[in-house]
Amino acid sequence: MVKVVTLISALSALTLFGCSQQEVHTAKSTLALSHSDNIITASVLSKDGQLNLVADGKTVCLWKNTQVESPLHCLKGNEAQFMELLDISEDNQFYLVSNQVTVRLYSVQGHKPLGEWGVAGNIINDMDISANGNKILLGFRSGKASIIDVQRNEVTSFDKHRLDINSVSLSDDGEMAFTGSSDKKARVWHTSSGENVHEFSHGSRVNHVSISSDGKVGFTLDAIKDRTFWDLSTGKVLAELDTNLRFFEFNDSIFSSDNSLLLTGSPKQVIKLWRVVDGALVAEWKSEATKGRASVLSVAYSGQDKIVTNNSDGLFEQWQLPSVNNK
C-alpha cells in the first residue's frame, strides 16, 4: 500500500455570498494523507479526529491520522469482507464494523473482537455507538430499531417506523436515540423503553438525522427540501438551513461541542459548516478527487481550530476553521 503525503499551503480565505448575504469562508486543505490505495466503501472518523477507520472491500484499517507509514491495525479476510458500516466510540476505546447483517465490536487496544450481534431477517441500514461503547443503536430496513446493551449482551428491539430506517444517531450517554425513516417521520425516543419523546413530520423520506452529544439539539434532512434544526427539550424548530438548493444529501454530520455549529460531508467533494441559530452557511470547502468522485464520507472537529475529513478516494484531509460569530 503506497502512502502519499501532500502538504498543501493554505490559501487566503475567499468569500462567497449566499442567499442571506452571509460571508462564507473557504480555503484549501492544509494537509492531505492517503489512507487507502483503493476506492473505499465506508469510513468513519473518531469524534476528536484522531482515528480514521477505512473499509475498501478487502480490508478494514484503523489509522492514527498523523501516522503516514502504515495503519495501526487491519482486519483482513472474512473479518473485513462486505463491511459497509463503521463507527468508533467517542472515548476511542472501541470500533464497530458491519456487513449490514451482523455487527462486530472490537477493542482499539489489541484489536480484539468483543462481541457480535444481529437480528434475524433484518438488514442494518445505519448504526451508532455511545461514547463509552456500552450501547449500540441499529436501524433496520424493516423499520425496526434495536438497542444492544454490550455489558449485559442483550438486544432489545422496537417497532419504531412503518418503512426503512435510513439514519440513526445516539446521544453520548446512550439514553436518547434519533431515527429517520422513509415513512417521512423522524423520532426521538428513550433507548431504555422505546418510548417516543418527539415525532417530526417531513414532506418526503428522512434521509439523515443527527443528535448533539448532550441530546439537546437535533437535525433532520429529508429527500427534497426539509432540513431543520430542532430544540429537543421542547420539540420546536430552531432554524432551517439557509439555502434554496433542493435534493441534496449528507453522508455525515457532527455538532460542535457547544452545539452552535453543524459540520456536514456530502457527495461530490462538498464539506459545509452551518450555524445552528439561523441555519446560515458560514464555511464551505471542496475535498480533492484523486481517483473518482471523492464523496466526503466522514467529518470531525480536531481541537478548537481545525476540522478533518475522509473521502471515498481514501484521502484524509485537514482544514482550518474560520472564526465564526455564533449569534
Side-chain angles (χ1 to χ4, degrees):
M1 185 182 295
V2 178
K3 311 299 177 298
V4 180
V5 183
T6 306
L7 185 61
I8 306 171
S9 59
L11 297 183
S12 300
L14 303 176
T15 56
L16 304 174
F17 291 91
C19 56
S20 65
Q21 300 301 305
Q22 166 72 38
E23 287 191 0
V24 179
H25 168 91
T26 187
K28 293 288 187 180
S29 63
T30 59
L31 177 68
L33 307 173
S34 177
H35 283 175
S36 177
D37 292 336
N38 304 310
I39 299 295
I40 65 174
T41 58
S43 167
V44 67
L45 290 156
S46 61
K47 190 171 183 179
D48 62 4
Q50 297 304 303
L51 298 175
N52 186 20
L53 190 62
V54 176
D56 64 10
K58 296 181 179 179
T59 63
V60 178
C61 292
L62 182 68
W63 290 83
K64 189 172 182 179
N65 286 334
T66 56
Q67 196 167 347
V68 177
E69 296 299 326
S70 60
L72 295 171
H73 178 75
C74 287
L75 304 177
K76 299 178 181 179
N78 292 335
E79 283 190 307
Q81 286 186 335
F82 311 116
M83 293 305 165
E84 299 288 338
L85 300 170
L86 308 172
D87 205 4
I88 302 173
S89 63
E90 186 181 341
D91 62 8
N92 291 356
Q93 296 300 305
F94 309 99
Y95 64 90
L96 285 175
V97 301
S98 175
N99 58 5
Q100 296 189 275
V101 177
T102 61
V103 57
R104 290 202 304 269
L105 181 68
Y106 290 84
S107 61
V108 169
Q109 297 295 327
H111 312 285
K112 297 178 180 179
L114 301 175
E116 181 172 344
W117 303 271
V119 176
N122 286 274
I123 303 299
I124 305 167
N125 273 351
D126 199 14
M127 64 183 188
D128 200 8
I129 188 170
S130 62
N132 62 7
N134 285 343
K135 285 188 179 180
I136 299 167
L137 167 63
L138 305 179
F140 296 105
R141 196 169 294 175
S142 63
K144 291 180 180 292
S146 289
I147 298 296
I148 300 170
D149 187 316
V150 173
Q151 291 184 326
R152 296 180 179 179
N153 194 28
E154 293 179 352
V155 180
T156 305
S157 297
F158 304 99
D159 292 315
K160 296 308 303 178
H161 293 274
R162 292 186 299 104
L163 299 173
D164 311 42
I165 294 178
N166 301 313
S167 180
V168 304
S169 188
L170 193 61
S171 61
D172 275 4
D173 61 10
E175 296 301 315
M176 302 297 294
F178 204 7
T179 52
S181 169
S182 293
D183 65 7
K184 304 180 184 179
K185 306 288 186 183
R187 292 191 170 105
V188 182
W189 46 280
H190 292 292
T191 60
S192 57
S193 64
E195 180 183 359
N196 288 343
V197 179
H198 300 296
E199 178 182 289
F200 306 122
S201 297
H202 295 71
S204 61
R205 68 179 183 272
V206 181
N207 286 336
H208 185 80
V209 299
S210 185
I211 194 170
S212 62
S213 294
D214 57 12
K216 294 182 178 180
V217 181
F219 174 78
T220 57
L221 175 77
D222 79 358
I224 300 178
K225 65 181 182 66
D226 291 336
R227 54 294 300 259
T228 309
F229 290 110
W230 303 93
D231 182 338
L232 298 185
S233 62
T234 64
K236 294 183 178 180
V237 173
L238 289 172
E240 298 279 345
L241 293 193
D242 188 4
T243 176
N244 293 322
L245 293 176
R246 294 164 67 90
F247 305 107
F248 68 95
E249 59 185 293
F250 295 154
N251 294 326
D252 192 24
S253 68
I254 185 171
F255 284 96
S256 59
S257 59
D258 63 359
N259 297 345
S260 66
L261 299 167
L262 183 74
L263 178 65
T264 63
S266 302
K268 299 181 180 180
Q269 304 169 254
V270 178
I271 306 135
K272 295 187 177 185
L273 187 67
W274 309 87
R275 192 165 56 202
V276 172
V277 67
D278 58 1
L281 179 65
V282 295
E284 182 174 1
W285 302 274
K286 188 173 183 180
S287 182
E288 183 181 354
T290 58
K291 302 181 185 73
R293 292 180 59 194
S295 181
V296 180
L297 299 181
S298 49
V299 297
Y301 298 94
S302 181
Q304 298 296 315
D305 60 348
K306 296 179 181 64
I307 65 163
V308 290
T309 67
N310 202 62
N311 71 26
S312 56
D313 288 355
L315 194 68
F316 165 80
E317 293 174 279
Q318 182 175 278
W319 314 78
Q320 190 70 34
L321 269 176
S323 176
V324 177
N325 180 358
N326 293 325
K327 298 180 180 181

